[in-house]
Amino acid sequence: MVLHFVFLQRIANLYPATASLIDDLTRRITQDLPAKQQDILKSYSKELNGRILFMGTPPNYDENVSKNLPTILNAIRQKRKVQIKYTDNWGTPSNKLRVPLMIAISHGDIYIGCVSQHHPDKTYALKLQRIESVKLLKENFEEDPKVVESLRKRIRTGSLLLGDQNPQEEKVVIYFPKYAKNFLKERPYHRSMKMENAPGDEIRVTMKVEVNELLKQWIMYYGNIATVEQPKKLKQMILETAKKLVEKYE
């Protein structure tokens, strides 16, 4: 139990939305432990702290992040607008009114699906970790069921981050060597992803998603161990990127 506590305390910041909950939980339980066990916990923490490491850098954790999610969930539930301080991909800060509709979780990150106020038929995503602060406003908004369904479709087809506003699902077929099976199973690209044994020493991976830049990047992460069978346009996207890489490093 003590070892589990030490591990939880060390990795709490890896999950901003639950870090404060984990900290609060471990603190409360620790307070109820006998003095001797509290001393053991402190001793273990000191000994193991430098042995539980993040490869690269630790998560960039802001203590306010975990406080922002409940406010956003409240806004979604009550259909109220929010004022959000945010920094985009290019490092540009903003402080704008936002209309949050949905929460999406993708590859370990939490995103807020919003509808554009200037283009009410379009939706976009904000990364929770880049939100500095959220203020719940008194102003309500009216949901358009068509826009809500459109946002659901973008999330469902994997197109929320780098895809079209009106995504089209396509069947994607990729072959991998069998030794990649567990890794793929642990880190699926999409909920629709299925795996089956193929002739030889390969597995056949299928999914129904939008073919976009995010999918291309995911496949290219695996380098030459991934072979796309269909669709043809996905193969072409990878080929064009590969040519540019060759030109760059020749």
Side-chain angles (χ1 to χ4, degrees):
M1 182 189 71
V2 170
L3 290 171
H4 274 97
F5 269 31
V6 171
F7 184 70
L8 275 175
Q9 289 172 332
R10 181 67 174 137
I11 70 164
N13 291 351
L14 189 60
Y15 303 98
T18 57
S20 62
L21 179 64
I22 293 173
D23 286 341
D24 184 58
L25 179 64
T26 55
R27 185 172 60 252
R28 288 178 182 226
I29 295 176
T30 301
Q31 289 173 350
D32 291 336
L33 291 174
K36 185 178 179 180
Q37 289 188 344
Q38 289 188 29
D39 289 340
I40 292 172
L41 179 58
K42 288 178 185 177
S43 174
Y44 279 24
S45 296
K46 186 176 180 181
E47 291 174 17
L48 293 174
N49 189 52
R51 300 302 180 99
I52 302 170
L53 306 176
F54 299 100
M55 192 164 61
T57 57
N60 182 18
Y61 175 70
D62 183 338
E63 63 180 7
N64 290 318
V65 170
S66 59
K67 300 174 185 175
N68 293 334
L69 187 57
T71 305
I72 292 167
L73 288 169
N74 231 355
I76 293 172
R77 185 177 63 86
Q78 297 178 19
K79 296 181 176 59
R80 286 164 64 180
K81 295 182 180 181
V82 288
Q83 185 88 17
I84 292 181
K85 287 185 180 180
Y86 186 74
T87 302
D88 65 17
N89 290 342
W90 296 269
T92 306
S94 63
N95 189 1
K96 296 181 180 178
L97 288 179
R98 309 279 187 173
V99 180
L101 297 179
M102 215 166 287
I103 303 292
I105 301 171
S106 175
H107 298 89
D109 285 314
I110 299 173
Y111 296 88
I112 316 303
C114 302
V115 59
S116 170
Q117 295 189 85
H118 301 295
H119 304 281
D121 60 331
K122 298 186 184 302
T123 57
Y124 63 93
L126 299 176
K127 195 172 186 177
L128 179 66
Q129 196 169 345
R130 294 200 187 123
I131 295 176
E132 182 181 334
S133 65
V134 182
K135 182 181 179 182
L136 188 64
L137 304 177
K138 293 181 180 180
E139 185 181 356
N140 288 88
F141 62 84
E142 289 187 18
E143 283 185 351
D144 183 340
K146 290 183 180 178
V147 175
V148 173
E149 183 51 39
S150 171
L151 181 56
R152 279 202 183 98
K153 185 178 181 182
R154 293 191 70 200
I155 295 170
R156 189 171 62 244
T157 58
S159 67
L160 179 64
L161 306 180
L162 292 176
D164 292 336
Q165 288 291 325
N166 185 29
Q168 302 301 313
E169 284 181 330
E170 294 188 55
K171 184 178 181 180
V172 174
V173 181
I174 315 166
Y175 284 86
F176 290 89
K178 281 186 178 176
Y179 64 74
K181 186 174 183 179
N182 283 340
F183 191 85
L184 290 164
K185 188 177 179 181
E186 292 163 357
R187 299 167 180 81
Y189 175 78
H190 191 261
R191 290 178 63 188
S192 66
M193 199 172 94
K194 296 178 181 178
M195 292 183 286
E196 60 183 6
N197 291 330
D201 198 29
E202 290 186 314
I203 53 173
R204 184 174 184 263
V205 174
T206 61
M207 59 182 111
K208 293 194 75 173
V209 293
E210 183 196 48
V211 175
N212 56 31
E213 285 294 312
L214 192 63
L215 176 62
K216 182 199 76 173
Q217 290 173 13
W218 181 78
I219 294 169
M220 292 191 73
Y221 168 80
Y222 290 95
N224 64 354
I225 72 167
T227 304
V228 175
E229 182 182 81
Q230 69 178 72
K232 183 181 280 188
K233 71 176 182 181
L234 178 56
K235 296 167 73 172
Q236 189 62 34
M237 287 169 66
I238 294 172
L239 180 60
E240 289 173 3
T241 301
K243 286 178 179 178
K244 290 177 183 176
L245 286 171
V246 171
E247 291 171 4
K248 185 174 182 178
Y249 291 104
E250 269 185 331

